[in-house]
Amino acid sequence: MIVLPEEHDMDTKGIIIEAMKQLLAEQRFDKITVQNIIDRAHCSRGTFYRHFKDKYDIMNYYYLETNRDILSNSELSGREKTEAIVDSVLKNKEYFGGVVDVEGINSFRNFVKQCSKQFYLAVYREKFITCASIPAEIDFMTDFLAEGCAATIDKWVIGDGGLSKEQLVDSLYRMTPEELR
């Protein structure tokens, strides 16, 4: 039976996500099936598919939800956003630790790369509103940074990063070119 984190009502999506979190605490992501999630969440297959395409969709949705407010907050500086995302990953380390080793096209790492690239491109577009298209050099930089972000999250979640949170945030920010801060 699913144990909800708080006493108040939780929406169906939240119940499914909580089921996934509990399953990740017990077994590897590749061993979890949609049926396991359905059973744990006490929902029907139709209800599951009304909210998520598959278990990978849950994995990605949770990352976006935990960082949505951070990424959309125009009041935060680039450094503050970097620190807030690192805090979010730390707060949810058990969950992300359960999905970090997923491989292939649907991997968590690929998803983080896509999100990171979109984040850097959005920063660039915001700074250079008059720019009609993204220059090739900026596109290359965003690919490079996105790959680095994904690798850093992998390494840090696994626990062998060797840097304090403050050192990590400082390093990531210093490595980001001015155009993308």
Side-chain angles (χ1 to χ4, degrees):
M1 180 171 189
I2 190 164
V3 178
L4 299 177
E6 298 177 12
E7 292 300 315
H8 65 78
D9 290 335
M10 189 182 255
D11 67 356
T12 304
K13 242 181 181 172
I15 292 170
I16 293 169
I17 291 168
E18 187 60 30
M20 173 65 102
K21 287 169 69 175
Q22 290 178 13
L23 288 165
L24 281 168
E26 299 167 9
Q27 58 190 308
R28 293 171 37 118
F29 181 86
D30 62 338
K31 302 294 182 197
I32 297 172
T33 65
V34 169
Q35 189 61 52
N36 296 141
I37 300 165
I38 289 168
D39 291 346
R40 182 66 61 101
H42 300 287
C43 70
S44 70
R45 188 167 289 276
T47 297
F48 176 88
Y49 286 114
R50 223 178 347 271
H51 295 282
F52 297 102
K53 293 185 294 189
D54 52 28
K55 67 182 186 176
Y56 298 95
D57 196 25
I58 299 171
M59 172 181 70
N60 298 336
Y61 177 84
Y62 187 71
Y63 177 79
L64 280 179
E65 279 304 300
T66 58
N67 294 302
R68 182 179 314 278
D69 291 340
I70 298 165
L71 297 173
S72 65
N73 187 341
S74 60
E75 301 291 314
L76 294 176
S77 69
R79 184 182 186 80
E80 290 169 327
K81 285 183 181 184
T82 301
E83 185 170 5
I85 289 171
V86 169
D87 282 338
S88 171
V89 170
L90 282 176
K91 180 180 170 190
N92 297 286
K93 191 171 181 173
E94 184 175 293
Y95 178 84
F96 293 123
V99 298
V100 77
D101 64 349
V102 175
E103 296 180 4
I105 193 74
N106 290 323
S107 72
F108 181 66
R109 183 182 181 129
N110 278 343
F111 184 73
V112 169
K113 281 192 313 194
Q114 291 170 11
C115 290
S116 298
K117 180 170 177 107
Q118 293 310 311
F119 168 73
Y120 287 121
L121 288 174
V123 168
Y124 183 82
R125 285 185 184 107
E126 188 174 302
K127 285 182 110 175
F128 300 97
I129 296 170
T130 59
C131 185
S133 63
I134 300 294
E137 180 182 27
I138 297 299
D139 189 56
F140 178 78
M141 278 193 248
T142 58
D143 284 338
F144 182 80
L145 289 169
E147 182 68 45
C149 287
T152 299
I153 287 176
D154 278 3
K155 188 172 185 176
W156 229 61
V157 165
I158 291 169
D160 62 356
L163 298 175
S164 70
K165 181 191 94 167
E166 292 75 21
Q167 290 171 318
L168 175 65
V169 170
D170 187 52
S171 295
L172 289 172
Y173 189 71
R174 284 184 300 139
M175 288 187 275
T176 304
E178 188 62 38
E179 303 95 301
L180 302 173
R181 287 186 182 176

